[in-house]
Amino acid sequence: MSPFNLQTCARPNILTLEPYRCARDDYKDDGTNILLDANENAYGPAVAAEDAARQDAEVDLLGLHRYPDPHQHELKQLFCDLRNTRVHTQKALTPDNMFVGVGSDEAIDALIRCFCVPGRDRILVCPPTYGMYSVSAHINDVGLVKVPLLPAPDFALDVEGIAAALSGERDVKLAYFCSPGNPTGSLLAKADIRRVLEHPTWNGVVVVDEAYVDFAPEGVSLAEWVNEWPNLVVMQTMSKAFGMAGIRLGAAFAAPPVAALLNAMKAPYNIPNPTSELARLAVSGRGLARMRGNMARIVEQRDRMVAELARTPGVGRLRGGTASNFLLYEMLDARGEPDNATALAVYERLAENRGVVVRFRGKEHGCLGCLRITVGTEEEVTRFLAALREVLADVRGGDGSVPKDEARREDVANGVIA
Ligand SMILES: Cc1ncc(COP(=O)(O)O)c(C=O)c1O
């Protein structure tokens, strides 16, 4: 009999980890589904296939036989050039302000490992928010302090509540804010973030996750502000506006001492050569132009969805904002109330009968009855709007059988990721 016992050998917090789920655990990409669930860029990558192919030829198959550059100086400089707008400060960002990782998910985790002592320290999160903050905390045996966003009118930070938590709760090392928010699509007020940064006694780091910032009005990114605040980190990603979720490249801007810690602790070759090559193409010249073109098309479809959904029977309020590439809408029951059973039935029927995969968010704070819908291409939006009208009519017309084991299905549909 082997002495090995997984239950006593593995870390207890890993054994109890809720494995993360995304809508695609339930509904696969079978080539016919419309995937409006993960806030990807419907119009595709910022790098055209022909540009990537040409790069292949020039640079020896993207340098596959060599270890990658551990410092990624050139890529970091391109990110700095993009964000040096002089809107928030006159001080310029340089590569010393940067960490790049395997998606911003690596930065989320690296920050927790950098600042939080397992089993003691905690992070502050503001639900409803991106699920990876709490998943990473759990993996690292780090606790959560929750100060929910203020749902009315548009999911702003509860600055008083946050200040009180940072004064009263022990060992809070990081505060994760998402702006524009996922799943809210709302931009957080710069003045509110400033008030948290100005907390008189808290010894911790404010992390602003700007994964969707390029869908918001120009000049709102606070990346430059890391040169004004030694305890601010701003995260961004190539997965959304740049349409490059497949290369897994995320970035964090921070004051140089913080960036140095993140760089010191990372795996040396964390950014693969093909990722670096493609990211550099995306963040310069033709890539930027292509990204901006795709964004304009997404914004056009976002506006169209807002206009059409306002006159779709059974669709309630737009919750949150329109600063992102997704929208959060209430589904109404036959009495006209936002309702999770209706939203869940709509979610399932859209996916199972119409091949349109969206995201059920009804269990999140302030999101009763809500679906989160990624903005698609013009054709996808047309198909989604028609399918939604039909499904809502069915569900609200009495054919909407309330699921028997509704609580479990809601949990499954809600998931934690993306
Ligand atoms: C708010 C937010 N932050 C970060 C991420 C993860 O981004 P990445 O693909 O860079 O890991 C997502 C992905 O959906 C997100 O919604």
Side-chain angles (χ1 to χ4, degrees):
M1 220 345 222
S2 164
F4 175 67
N5 179 341
L6 184 66
Q7 295 307 315
T8 52
C9 191
R11 291 171 61 190
N13 58 307
I14 304 298
L15 289 168
T16 59
L17 189 66
E18 283 267 335
Y20 62 71
R21 297 186 61 82
C22 57
R24 265 163 247 179
D25 289 331
D26 299 331
Y27 304 112
K28 298 272 173 277
D29 179 8
D30 65 357
T32 62
N33 283 341
I34 296 181
L35 301 173
L36 306 182
D37 57 314
N39 303 339
E40 294 145 331
N41 191 319
Y43 282 102
V47 177
E50 43 305 354
D51 288 350
R54 193 169 53 229
Q55 194 74 356
D56 279 359
E58 275 173 15
V59 297
D60 189 15
L61 271 176
L62 308 174
L64 294 186
H65 66 304
R66 298 288 182 204
Y67 281 110
D69 171 8
H71 307 296
Q72 299 295 330
H73 195 278
E74 199 186 320
L75 175 59
K76 289 176 180 174
Q77 186 61 58
L78 290 170
F79 271 116
C80 293
D81 295 346
L82 183 66
R83 299 307 177 198
N84 273 329
T85 60
R86 304 292 204 274
V87 171
H88 304 282
T89 176
Q90 287 308 306
K91 298 175 191 160
L93 295 163
T94 73
D96 288 344
N97 288 109
M98 290 204 67
F99 164 83
V100 285
V102 182
S104 31
D105 286 344
E106 181 177 351
I108 292 169
D109 186 68
L111 284 160
I112 295 178
R113 284 185 291 121
C114 184
F115 287 100
C116 296
V117 176
R120 184 192 79 186
D121 291 340
R122 293 182 291 168
I123 64 168
L124 182 143
V125 293
C126 300
T129 193
Y130 181 48
M132 269 312 278
Y133 314 141
S134 49
V135 171
S136 269
H138 192 145
I139 290 170
N140 289 295
D141 201 10
V142 161
L144 296 177
V145 173
K146 294 184 183 178
V147 181
L149 297 174
L150 301 171
D154 58 358
F155 292 104
L157 287 181
D158 174 3
V159 181
E160 304 297 331
I162 291 167
L166 297 181
S167 303
E169 301 279 353
R170 286 203 350 258
D171 303 321
V172 178
K173 290 294 185 58
L174 298 162
Y176 280 91
F177 304 147
C178 193
S179 180
N182 176 7
T184 67
S186 292
L187 267 179
L188 299 176
K190 180 177 170 182
D192 287 352
I193 294 172
R194 176 191 282 272
R195 282 175 62 199
V196 180
L197 286 163
E198 284 171 348
H199 193 285
T201 57
W202 181 52
N203 177 17
V205 175
V206 171
V207 184
V208 179
D209 183 344
E210 293 189 339
Y212 300 96
V213 76
D214 288 303
F215 298 105
E218 248 180 71
V220 297
S221 168
L222 294 178
E224 291 176 303
W225 235 11
V226 302
N227 277 326
E228 296 294 335
W229 301 95
N231 60 334
L232 173 65
V233 175
V234 175
M235 298 187 302
Q236 298 179 351
T237 178
M238 307 239 50
S239 300
K240 308 298 179 182
F242 284 93
M244 313 273 289
I247 68 170
R248 309 303 301 126
L249 196 287
F253 296 89
V258 172
L261 287 183
L262 295 174
N263 285 312
M265 62 188 273
K266 78 178 180 64
Y269 309 118
N270 61 333
I271 306 299
N273 284 330
T275 291
S276 179
E277 293 285 344
L278 291 167
R280 275 181 281 153
L281 281 180
V283 196
S284 54
R286 279 216 290 272
L288 277 179
R290 200 176 165 92
M291 180 273 265
R292 291 185 175 127
N294 285 345
M295 255 179 28
R297 295 157 88 190
I298 288 171
V299 168
E300 194 181 316
Q301 293 310 311
R302 183 176 76 195
D303 294 347
R304 176 180 165 220
M305 282 172 71
V306 172
E308 291 282 332
L309 290 170
R311 44 175 183 264
T312 301
V315 174
R317 292 174 301 172
L318 168 70
R319 304 293 291 116
T322 56
S324 200
N325 69 334
F326 55 85
L327 297 164
L328 185 70
Y329 271 97
E330 289 173 342
M331 301 293 121
L332 307 180
D333 64 15
R335 291 167 305 150
E337 302 293 333
D339 174 52
N340 275 357
T342 305
L344 196 56
V346 170
Y347 161 75
E348 290 180 347
R349 287 176 191 214
L350 276 176
E352 284 164 24
N353 305 341
R354 315 286 161 141
V356 178
V357 185
V358 299
R359 205 80 174 95
F360 173 73
R361 296 281 84 173
K363 291 282 279 265
E364 304 273 327
H365 172 80
C367 302
L368 180 70
C370 281
L371 297 181
R372 192 197 67 195
I373 307 130
T374 306
V375 178
T377 61
E378 184 176 358
E379 297 71 36
E380 288 172 342
V381 170
T382 301
R383 197 169 133 192
F384 160 72
L385 289 169
L388 180 68
R389 270 200 196 92
E390 290 164 12
V391 165
L392 267 168
D394 274 2
V395 168
R396 298 174 82 234
D399 185 23
S401 49
V402 175
K404 281 197 211 73
D405 51 352
E406 187 188 314
R408 194 196 68 78
R409 293 169 70 181
E410 281 184 16
D411 283 341
V412 167
N414 223 35
V416 290
I417 290 264

